[in-house]
Amino acid sequence: MKVLIDIKDNKAQALLEILKDLASVKFKIITEQEEKEPTKKEILEGIKQGMKEVKLARAGKIKLKSAKELLDEL
């Protein structure tokens, strides 16, 4: 299970010390900037994946969602 916790910087160190003592807990510190902005690699991977899907759709191998289906998901 993954849990996202947003904590003030001045309180974070105490919580991290507690988490370090728990063997069953793994954690990664993500700064606010990392959380909001995708990396160049992530952007390029997303574009690459999208281009693969377009090629498959043009070849008739997959069916893409309509704009209405995409909006219904929101």
Side-chain angles (χ1 to χ4, degrees), residues 36-48:
K36 293 178 183 174
E37 297 179 22
T39 64
K40 182 178 178 179
K41 182 180 179 181
E42 291 170 333
I43 293 168
L44 292 174
E45 285 296 319
I47 293 169
K48 187 177 180 181

Side-chain angles (χ1 to χ4, degrees), residues 21-74:
D21 292 337
L22 301 174
S24 62
V25 175
K26 296 179 186 177
F27 62 91
K28 177 181 177 184
I29 300 170
I30 301 172
T31 64
E32 286 186 35
Q33 184 178 11
E34 290 172 323
E35 183 180 320
K36 293 178 183 174
E37 297 179 22
T39 64
K40 182 178 178 179
K41 182 180 179 181
E42 291 170 333
I43 293 168
L44 292 174
E45 285 296 319
I47 293 169
K48 187 177 180 181
Q49 180 62 33
M51 292 305 296
K52 284 181 184 178
E53 290 178 13
V54 168
K55 287 178 184 178
L56 289 171
R58 285 185 175 172
K61 295 182 179 180
I62 64 169
K63 182 180 181 239
L64 298 177
K65 293 180 183 180
S66 69
K68 181 175 180 350
E69 290 171 324
L70 289 173
L71 290 173
D72 287 344
E73 287 182 9
L74 299 174

